[in-house]
Amino acid sequence: MAQWGQVTGGREWLRRLHRSHSPAPGPYSICLHRADAFTVSYAEVEVELAGTFEATGVVMRYMSGSPCSRSNQQVWTLERTGSRATES
């Protein structure tokens, strides 16, 4: 992970990690390519927050194919409706 300059990061860092072929393209890289198995898709789920643990919506991004192929992305967005449940 140090090759990207940080241990953790945001969405772009995570995408680079899943597209990576370190140490080399093959059975030991995160983006897997071998004769009998390979990475078939990549998905992200992002929870949008308005405050501490108060979700306002959810976004899911799905990409078919290997992450390194940069295939078309499908996006679904769910917005929160209604009020927050309270305890009596």
Side-chain angles (χ1 to χ4, degrees):
M1 308 313 160
Q3 67 191 16
W4 289 294
Q6 57 190 35
V7 177
T8 61
R11 182 184 322 146
E12 290 305 316
W13 176 86
L14 191 59
R15 289 176 180 171
R16 283 193 311 274
L17 176 66
H18 283 270
R19 285 192 307 259
S20 73
H21 295 108
S22 182
Y28 301 110
S29 61
I30 292 177
C31 189
L32 177 67
H33 300 273
R34 12 181 253 233
D36 63 334
F38 51 91
T39 305
V40 296
S41 64
Y42 172 75
E44 300 172 348
V45 176
E46 180 179 350
V47 177
E48 298 170 339
L49 299 174
T52 307
F53 303 110
E54 187 174 336
T56 59
V58 176
V59 177
M60 180 178 173
R61 295 174 186 87
Y62 174 82
M63 292 160 256
S64 62
S66 294
C68 66
S69 70
R70 297 183 185 249
S71 60
N72 289 334
Q73 174 178 255
Q74 296 176 317
V75 179
W76 294 272
T77 303
L78 300 172
E79 292 186 26
R80 182 176 178 182
T81 59
S83 61
R84 184 176 177 180
T86 58
E87 292 184 29
S88 304

